[in-house]
Amino acid sequence: MTAALQYLFDALSLGSLYALGALGIALIFGVMRLVNFAHGDVMTFAIFVLIAPTTEAVAPLWVGAWSTPLLVLTVLVAGAALSIVSEWLVFRHLRHATPATTMMASFALGFVLQNTLLVLHSSRPKAVNLWPTLSAPMNLWGARVPGLQLLMIGITMALLIGLAWMLKRSRVGLEMRVAAENFDMARMLGVKANRVILMAFGLSGTLAALIGLLMVSQTGLVDIRMGGPMMLVAFVSTVIGGLGSLGGAVLGGFLIGAVSTALQAWLPLDARAFRDAFVYLAVILLLLWRPDGLFVTSAVRQRV
Amino acid sequence: MNLLEIHDLNVRYGGITALHKLSLSIKAGETVMVTGPNGAGKSTLLKTIAGLVKPQHGSVVFDGQLITGCAPETIAAAGFSMVPEGRQVFNSLTVLENLRVGTGMRRNKLAVAADLDYVMDVFPVLRERALSQAGMLSGGQQQMLVIGRGLMAAPRLLVIDEPSLGLAPLVTDQVYEALMRLRVERELTLLIVEQSASRAVMTGGRMLMLREGRIVLEGDPRQLTAHQMQQAYFGYEDEPVTASTP
């Protein structure tokens, strides 16, 4: 019972990170048919505002020294702003380009962001200790759960409910849904393309920054390469869920979280080092079974 | 004054000229039927007016405003509503949500509510299935939905591309009956593309026949002879034929 509960909390908190990442990818893919490989680097860039640029091993805090509400707000705004600026500088000019071109452009953007960080901060991981009290484990019905994990699960659930409400009930949500389904038709009905795209990039960047914050408060480290693996898992989650489906992306994220946690717990000790290989093996099997992902969307059907 | 004025429109897609120096004007309140064989440039013409396709040359003036090269949403806001070929309902949205998409540019919410009521009177099936997913509707119901969706944008000019495509003749009749009702009750200006010339004749109004990106025949379909139409449709003759309009 305790073991199952422990597993549940671990899986949910890891899945939360992946789900938020996948959602950021899916939001942009939905409206622009763009797989934004710079997503992970937007996250890294946003989180690096916490420390002042230096090549020393120990970096002085910058935004990281501010009060918690201001710190969180600044990082989230940094993520949203960077994401919006990247649309404005790069992707806006590629609206009519093929998906392959926009994908390459997003790769390039990711490298530019990462190398800018390399110049400013060097390649050394830096320690940033945010909210150490949150890591103290709490005892929940026998399971040892760090407060941070609970916070992560809570924030993710609240965000998902809020986002679902916004998409379902608000005008801008309706516009994002129709834009994701058929952008040309939406525009012919007066839906402003720039507004919807701005909204998608803004939300996606905010989500990226949020993941960054959660990751850093968990590990206590910032690293200019931390975006890459995150981005990969997020992308795989959206593919599993069915590219273009927001609900599918979230579910895909939680699924990968659950599988990773299960393998971590139950693989023989010698095989645990290869956990990710087993995770991706499971992904391959799933995609062989359902090549379009769990939820096939009209967006995918139209494209093939 | 003309509601729509198209002058010398040239559209090329990768080396193929889809529209060739096409000029056309539509008066407010008029019904214009555009017919012609496959690949005549009918859909290209509509897409160019709607702003989805940029012309290489020429101008489109809608309601006194130059809209060539404008974004589709700007053109829609000017009062141009497009019901595209193949219906293109938003499958995952409900019927009601589909109808609401085009109302975002309208300020008067009372008028929007009244129009919603009106659309559901014209197409009662939309009221019955208001909360169903649009993707679950039959082809005929979807065609009614997209016409209703176009109306909800309160257009000055409603443009419909092939409303009979893939529909049973009986359903097509229903769709056209509704369109004729709109023409009378709403004094709508209609531009309808229809591949079948006989449907165009039945509907009345002015007829334009397109072939190879040019207007090859223009006039009142009741005054054009079947011979003239066949010649224009199949291209036995190169000179444009113009019948006197009453």
Side-chain angles (χ1 to χ4, degrees), chain B residues 38-65:
Chain B
N38 271 331
K42 306 182 300 273
S43 292
T44 305
L45 173 64
L46 300 195
K47 282 182 189 159
T48 311
I49 307 172
L52 291 181
V53 172
K54 305 274 174 265
Q56 270 74 34
H57 179 78
S59 64
V60 182
V61 174
F62 180 72
D63 203 11
Q65 184 187 344

Side-chain angles (χ1 to χ4, degrees), chain A residues 171 177 181-182 185 187 193, chain B residues 73 91-92 97 100-101:
Chain A
R171 178 78 214 171
R177 281 188 293 150
E181 208 173 310
N182 185 339
M185 191 62 239
R187 297 182 72 185
Chain B
E73 54 264 40
N91 284 313
S92 65
E97 284 172 332
R100 287 199 186 286
V101 176

Side-chain angles (χ1 to χ4, degrees), chain B residues 33-37 42 162 164 176 192-210 217 219-222 224-226 228-234:
Chain B
M33 301 290 293
V34 177
T35 75
K42 306 182 300 273
E162 306 237 17
S164 64
Y176 268 93
I192 304 174
V193 163
E194 187 58 78
Q195 200 172 359
S196 105
S198 56
R199 177 64 69 179
V201 174
M202 278 159 62
T203 310
R206 182 154 59 105
M207 188 171 86
L208 292 173
M209 198 176 279
L210 248 65
L217 182 69
D220 181 341
R222 280 157 298 191
L224 294 166
T225 65
Q228 278 176 315
M229 284 194 216
Q230 277 169 14
Q231 273 194 330
Y233 200 96
F234 295 110

Side-chain angles (χ1 to χ4, degrees), chain A residues 96 167-169 171 174-175 177-179 181-194 298 301-302, chain B residues 50 52 71-73 76 80-82 84 88-93 97 100-105 149-150 153:
Chain A
H96 300 285
L167 285 170
K168 197 74 194 157
R169 295 268 168 250
R171 178 78 214 171
L174 178 75
E175 292 189 349
R177 281 188 293 150
V178 295
E181 208 173 310
N182 185 339
F183 211 161
D184 279 344
M185 191 62 239
R187 297 182 72 185
M188 285 194 286
L189 288 164
V191 171
K192 291 192 178 74
N194 285 341
S298 56
R301 245 181 275 122
Q302 270 172 21
Chain B
L52 291 181
E73 54 264 40
F80 176 89
S81 191
M82 170 92 152
Q88 307 196 15
V89 297
F90 299 111
N91 284 313
S92 65
L93 273 63
E97 284 172 332
R100 287 199 186 286
V101 176
T103 62
M105 7 177 222
R149 186 179 66 184

Side-chain angles (χ1 to χ4, degrees), chain A residues 36-294:
Chain A
N36 185 12
F37 279 97
H39 192 62
D41 298 304
V42 168
M43 169 192 113
T44 317
F45 212 98
I47 208 65
F48 262 84
V49 302
L50 289 175
I51 56 171
T54 168
T55 48
E56 303 293 315
V58 181
L61 290 177
W62 182 39
V63 177
W66 298 0
S67 70
T68 302
L70 197 61
L71 180 154
V72 172
L73 189 73
T74 310
V75 172
L76 294 187
V77 169
L82 181 61
S83 183
I84 288 169
V85 168
S86 73
E87 192 274 325
W88 187 59
L89 284 179
V90 181
F91 301 117
R92 176 160 300 194
H93 310 284
L94 298 170
R95 292 242 177 113
H96 300 285
T98 63
T101 310
T102 55
M103 200 163 87
M104 289 321 291
S106 77
F107 264 117
L109 175 68
F111 278 109
V112 170
L113 291 178
Q114 207 183 99
N115 282 289
T116 310
L117 287 175
L118 179 67
V119 171
L120 290 173
H121 296 274
S122 82
S123 62
R124 275 187 241 203
K126 310 276 174 73
V128 179
N129 209 350
L130 291 179
W131 314 305
T133 48
L134 281 178
S135 307
M138 295 199 272
N139 200 327
L140 279 182
W141 307 289
R144 285 168 60 80
V145 185
L148 186 66
Q149 267 194 12
L150 287 180
L151 192 69
M152 238 152 94
I153 299 170
I155 287 176
T156 307
M157 294 305 159
L159 256 175
L160 291 180
I161 292 169
L163 212 62
W165 185 89
M166 186 210 83
L167 285 170
K168 197 74 194 157
R169 295 268 168 250
S170 75
R171 178 78 214 171
V172 67
L174 178 75
E175 292 189 349
M176 287 183 77
R177 281 188 293 150
V178 295
E181 208 173 310
N182 185 339
F183 211 161
D184 279 344
M185 191 62 239
R187 297 182 72 185
M188 285 194 286
L189 288 164
V191 171
K192 291 192 178 74
N194 285 341
R195 193 170 98 120
V196 172
I197 290 173
L198 184 89
M199 193 74 192
F201 272 89
L203 272 174
S204 171
T206 312
L207 288 173
L210 179 67
I211 300 167
L213 269 178
L214 294 173
M215 277 176 79
V216 171
S217 46
Q218 205 168 32
T219 62
L221 282 177
V222 294
D223 181 340
I224 62 167
R225 284 170 300 267
M226 68 196 280
M230 184 68 227
M231 164 68 215
L232 189 63
V233 178
F235 174 61
V236 171
S237 304
T238 57
V239 172
I240 289 178
L243 261 176
S245 158
L246 296 180
V250 170
L251 213 68
F254 278 113
L255 199 64
I256 293 198
V259 171
S260 296
T261 312
L263 289 171
Q264 181 71 32
W266 296 317
L267 273 180
L269 271 181
D270 292 338
R272 276 188 200 169
F274 309 104
R275 186 192 69 182
D276 288 351
F278 288 97
V279 173
Y280 287 108
L281 184 70
V283 168
I284 292 172
L285 291 177
L286 185 87
L287 288 178
L288 284 174
W289 170 53
R290 307 245 350 208
D292 291 328
L294 296 171

